[in-house]
Amino acid sequence: MIIDNNELVNIVGGGISGTLINSIVKAASFLLELGRAVGSAIRSAQTGMKCK
């Protein structure tokens, strides 16, 4: 099957790709780790205790 240029213009791809899902998951994971780090910093600042 040979597709000419006029038919190629009308092709619409998928809206959600694996790369998009992967980047969303990595961003959510980063935000979760950032929240944990900020929470740990706040807790250690309030209690005055630090890891040895």
Side-chain angles (χ1 to χ4, degrees), residues 26-44:
K26 285 190 182 237
S29 176
F30 172 74
L31 290 175
L32 181 63
E33 289 297 322
L34 182 64
R36 286 181 182 163
V38 169
S40 295
I42 291 171
R43 177 169 289 177
S44 66

Side-chain angles (χ1 to χ4, degrees), residues 9-25:
V9 171
N10 294 328
I11 295 175
V12 177
I16 298 176
S17 66
T19 306
L20 178 65
I21 293 171
N22 189 25
S23 64
I24 290 171
V25 169

